[in-house]
């Protein structure tokens, strides 16, 4: 019996892969429905369709441009991105798991282990405490992972505070914006259209997030235009994090499997689900396998993030100047951030002056 805690994309997709192979899978979800509350912008590259086809009702928009904005300049780059309705996406993946034979227990909150082969869950609907048999336990329970804490796997990894609201704002509905520089310290800001007149506006920060968020909001509109909040934590990838201890495994945000450049965790968690499924089925070391299959990519994102975090506004201006060349834009269109190794290699090949930023690696 495999018990997965959390019916987010990581938990449900892993449940789907394992159930498809005939494994007995139970997924616990503490909320009364999958997908709510939403704490995400829901933007992914079209690489998501390497995993499975998205149904139309999951897609809010397809965007073919990103406007990259720094303090004193901006450029537009052609891309191929999908903005999803995140609640519907989570439900789609959960349905795939159920159709493959996994059982989902809603309103069931993991509270701890009961010996080696069982866990304790609170049935919130019936206000009961239950003991659930579990030979293998997977914590797919997000950045606050109770499974990681109970298994002694929580580390002192850092989390960004991702502050985001749905806001009434007229914006180009074919493009999203990313904002960099001293008004967005340590990360970046975004404006992503979801429908005519509504955008998802947010930023990530380690500190003073509210102050930065409200300044950003004020530069575009006001508090009165906030429709609802969709904020949450964004884990920073930690290559040293232990993600398996005996028969307890972590995946997704619980394992900090997130691209440090963008905070995107959906595609890395789907990829990790394939790795973990293989490790469970073939009894392989997941700490090692994950590093082998995704570690180099996530480490590259982390290194780029560390370089960007040392940039001044003038450095961002210089970066955008190099990115504005047609030959560079072509590379950015061909390789997306989910294939960072060929992306960076080809960018350096086409424009060796990007190498000048490598001085920040050692600064
Ligand atoms: C503001 C913001 C914007 C983002 N934008 C993007 C984006 O545009 N693109 C992108 O790729 N990523 C984005 N991310 C990151 C993305 O949301 C996460 O990486 C992704 O949700 C990780 O999926 P997961 O399944 O690991 O965790 P989650 O989606 O957090 O799912 C965890 C599930 O576990 C459940 N749970 C938690 N504790 C328990 C418990 N004790 N018992 C039972 N169930 C439990 C939760 O209810 C939840 O359903 C964003 C994050 C934030 C905060």
């Amino acid at each position: 019996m495999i018990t997965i805690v959390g019916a987010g994309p990581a938990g449900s997709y892993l449940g789907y892969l394992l159930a498809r192979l005939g494994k007995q899978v139970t997924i616990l979800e503490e909320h009364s429905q999958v997908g709510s509350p939403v704490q995400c912008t829901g933007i992914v590259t079209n690489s998501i369709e390497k995993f499975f086809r998205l149904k139309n009702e999951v897609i809010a928009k397809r965007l073919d441009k990103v406007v990259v904005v720094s303090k004193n300049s901006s450029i537009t780059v052609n891309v191929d991105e999908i903005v999803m309705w995140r609640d519907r996406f989570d439900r789609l993946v959960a349905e795939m798991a159920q159709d493959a034979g996994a059982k989902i227990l809603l309103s069931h909150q993991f509270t701890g282990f009961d010996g080696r082969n069982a866990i304790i869950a609170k049935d919130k609907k019936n206000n009961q405490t239950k003991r659930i048999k579990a030979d293998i336990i997977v914590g797919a329970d997000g950045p606050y992972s109770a499974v990681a804490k109970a298994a002694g796997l929580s580390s002192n990894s850092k989390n960004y505070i991702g502050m985001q609201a749905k806001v009434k704002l007229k914006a180009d509905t074919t493009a999203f914006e990313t904002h960099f520089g001293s008004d967005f310290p340590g990360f970046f800001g975004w404006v992503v259209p979801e429908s005519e007149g509504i955008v998802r506006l947010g930023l990530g920060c380690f500190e003073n997030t509210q102050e930065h968020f409200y300044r950003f909001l004020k530069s575009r509109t006001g508090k009165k235009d906030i429709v609802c909040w969709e904020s949450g934590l964004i884990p920073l990838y930690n290559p040293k994090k232990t993600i398996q201890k005996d028969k307890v495994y972590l995946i997704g945000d619980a394992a900090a499997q997130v691209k440090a450049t963008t905070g995107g965790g959906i595609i890395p968690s789907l990829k990790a689900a394939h790795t973990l499924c293989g490790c469970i089925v073939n009894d392989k070391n997941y700490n090692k396998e994950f590093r082998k299959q995704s570690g180099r990519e996530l480490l590259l994102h982390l290194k780029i993030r560390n370089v960007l975090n040392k940039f001044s506004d003038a450095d961002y201006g210089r970066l955008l100047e190099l990115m504005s060349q047609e030959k560079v834009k072509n590379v950015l269109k061909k390789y997306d951030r989910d294939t960072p190794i060929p992306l960076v290699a080809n960018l350096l090949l086409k424009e060796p002056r990007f190498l000048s930023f490598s001085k920040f690696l050692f600064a």
Side-chain angles (χ1 to χ4, degrees), residues 55-72:
K55 288 185 180 162
N56 281 341
E57 62 257 32
V58 169
I59 300 174
K61 286 237 158 286
R62 283 187 186 266
L63 302 178
D64 57 19
K65 288 190 284 295
V66 56
V67 186
V68 187
V69 185
S70 74
K71 194 103 183 166
N72 300 313

Side-chain angles (χ1 to χ4, degrees), residues 9-278:
S12 293
Y13 190 58
L14 176 68
Y16 158 74
L17 294 175
L18 288 165
R20 210 173 54 158
L21 296 176
K23 301 286 176 195
Q24 241 191 310
V25 178
T26 302
I27 305 174
L28 306 188
E29 171 51 52
E30 67 179 354
H31 289 104
S32 56
Q33 62 169 329
V34 171
S36 303
V38 171
Q39 295 172 299
C40 184
T41 320
I43 188 161
V44 285
T45 66
N46 68 358
S47 287
I48 195 151
E49 299 201 294
K50 290 181 191 156
F51 295 91
F52 48 86
R53 259 193 72 72
L54 290 179
K55 288 185 180 162
N56 281 341
E57 62 257 32
V58 169
I59 300 174
K61 286 237 158 286
R62 283 187 186 266
L63 302 178
D64 57 19
K65 288 190 284 295
V66 56
V67 186
V68 187
V69 185
S70 74
K71 194 103 183 166
N72 300 313
S73 55
S74 78
I75 60 161
T76 301
V77 177
N78 290 332
V79 289
D80 193 357
E81 305 266 339
I82 299 169
V83 183
M84 303 193 292
W85 298 111
R86 179 59 206 266
D87 50 351
R88 296 184 197 170
F89 173 70
D90 283 22
R91 277 178 222 134
L92 167 81
V93 190
E95 274 163 26
M96 283 167 51
Q98 277 175 317
D99 291 348
K103 189 159 106 187
I104 300 187
L105 298 178
L106 296 173
S107 304
H108 277 64
Q109 182 182 41
F110 166 91
T111 57
F113 297 109
D114 188 16
R116 285 178 77 83
N117 297 95
I119 60 154
I120 305 290
K122 187 173 172 196
D123 175 347
K124 290 161 88 178
K125 198 166 153 211
N126 299 309
N127 204 14
Q128 282 173 359
T129 298
K130 288 184 182 167
R131 183 177 188 276
I132 297 173
K133 201 172 153 352
D135 305 311
I136 288 174
I137 298 146
V138 180
D141 49 345
Y144 299 96
S145 182
V147 174
K149 283 190 196 107
L153 287 173
S154 48
S155 52
N156 49 4
S157 304
K158 285 172 90 177
N159 295 306
Y160 286 104
I161 299 165
M163 194 161 170
Q164 175 179 289
K166 261 187 204 194
V167 175
K168 286 186 215 155
L169 184 72
K170 286 244 172 300
D172 180 352
T173 53
T174 63
F176 67 105
E177 301 168 22
T178 52
H179 293 254
F180 298 89
S182 51
D183 290 338
F184 304 88
F187 209 46
F188 72 106
W190 56 87
V191 178
V192 176
E194 72 163 42
S195 58
E196 202 64 53
I198 301 276
V199 301
R200 300 169 188 171
L201 180 147
L203 52 72
C205 272
F206 284 128
E207 48 198 27
N208 302 328
T209 317
Q210 285 204 13
E211 189 188 316
H212 294 299
F213 175 85
Y214 283 115
R215 192 187 312 121
F216 185 32
L217 181 72
K218 204 170 161 198
S219 71
R220 306 301 290 266
T221 179
K223 282 186 191 177
K224 63 176 186 342
D225 289 319
I226 293 179
V227 178
C228 66
W229 291 100
E230 297 181 327
S231 306
L233 291 185
I234 302 176
L236 184 67
Y237 176 61
N238 173 359
K240 295 201 177 119
K241 189 171 170 65
T242 306
I243 52 175
Q244 176 191 358
K245 190 170 154 192
D246 303 322
K247 293 290 177 193
V248 181
Y249 303 82
L250 302 179
I251 188 169
D253 276 13
Q257 292 161 337
V258 175
K259 290 170 278 188
T261 47
T262 63
I266 296 172
I267 290 184
S269 73
L270 300 181
K271 197 169 171 195
H274 281 275
T275 308
L276 179 49
C277 177

